[in-house]
Amino acid sequence: MELRRIGGKMKKIVEIVHDIISMHISNDSVVADFTMGQGYDTEFLANHAKYVYAFDIQASAYELTKVRLEKAELLNKVNLILDSHENCDHYIKEKIDAGVFNFGFLPHGDERITTNVESSLKAVQKALSLLKRHGILVLVMYPGHVVGKIESDALYNWSQTLSSKFFSVCCIQMHNKVKSPYIIIIQKEKVMNDD
Ligand code: SAM
């Protein structure tokens, strides 16, 4: 994976996330965007996978994403769900190849409506159970604001406790910029009995 953009600058986090996901999915894959926001990630996934489940709790995010997908003629490949990602198992009744959680708040929206540690932890745990063997979850953490710092610390610590028999966990972080967003990648190596 190339970390540089043309011209030499380091890629943005979202570009690195998309590179990682595109290496793991194909046009046969079923995937989930657990925080649709403005729909950039949903559109990216719909362009690269067979089918996408996308969640958000805000009607404005739902509408923005719907318009984006309509314009791109991708709406037929996506199930847009106006509900919290912690209920993902109510909607996804099949195994998925990949999922992305881009935590935080809707850019240009109400910053008080943000992902929070309790529901995020529940959702990520449910998403792990939905993963196929060798499937990946990509978590984008935002420690630069107060709620995001609590959430990212909790998820970082929790991800370190996952059994290495079943999961590989990797972190991509700007080591010299502590408040920068960073990525946690979890790959399911082995399926557990209750998956
Ligand atoms: N992936 C998005 C994109 O490509 O534009 C960016 C996501 S934005 C940083 C975070 C989103 O998470 C916001 O739209 C927010 O409404 C949503 N969110 C907050 N709590 C949520 C929850 N419990 N379930 C699902 N989405 C949630």
Side-chain angles (χ1 to χ4, degrees), residues 56-69:
D56 209 291
I57 50 170
Q58 294 195 68
S60 52
Y62 180 102
E63 285 307 323
L64 281 168
T65 304
K66 189 167 173 233
V67 169
R68 182 180 297 284
L69 294 170

Side-chain angles (χ1 to χ4, degrees), residues 34-41 56-58 84-85 102-106 114-115:
F34 291 98
T35 51
M36 69 175 92
Q38 301 181 91
Y40 293 112
D41 295 323
D56 209 291
I57 50 170
Q58 294 195 68
S84 173
H85 42 216
N102 198 337
F103 291 109
F105 47 80
L106 183 61
T114 184
T115 52

Side-chain angles (χ1 to χ4, degrees), residues 13 103-105 115 139-154 156 172-174 177-184:
I13 283 283
F103 291 109
F105 47 80
T115 52
L139 318 181
V140 189
M141 312 306 315
Y142 293 87
H145 63 104
V146 179
V147 182
K149 172 83 175 118
I150 296 167
E151 180 180 51
S152 50
D153 284 352
Y156 184 92
I172 300 177
Q173 197 160 17
M174 293 297 288
K177 286 191 194 166
V178 285
K179 289 190 172 175
S180 286
Y182 65 90
I183 306 168
I184 299 172

Side-chain angles (χ1 to χ4, degrees), residues 15 19 25 29 32 39 48 57 69 84 90 97-98 103 107 115 118 120 146 151 171 173-175 187-189 194:
E15 294 172 299
D19 282 355
I25 65 173
S29 302
H48 291 81
I57 50 170
L69 294 170
S84 173
H90 300 180
D97 296 277
F103 291 109
T115 52
E118 287 85 15
S120 297
V146 179
E151 180 180 51
C171 197
Q173 197 160 17
M174 293 297 288
H175 213 42
Q187 179 164 35
K188 183 181 272 186
E189 302 292 0
D194 50 355

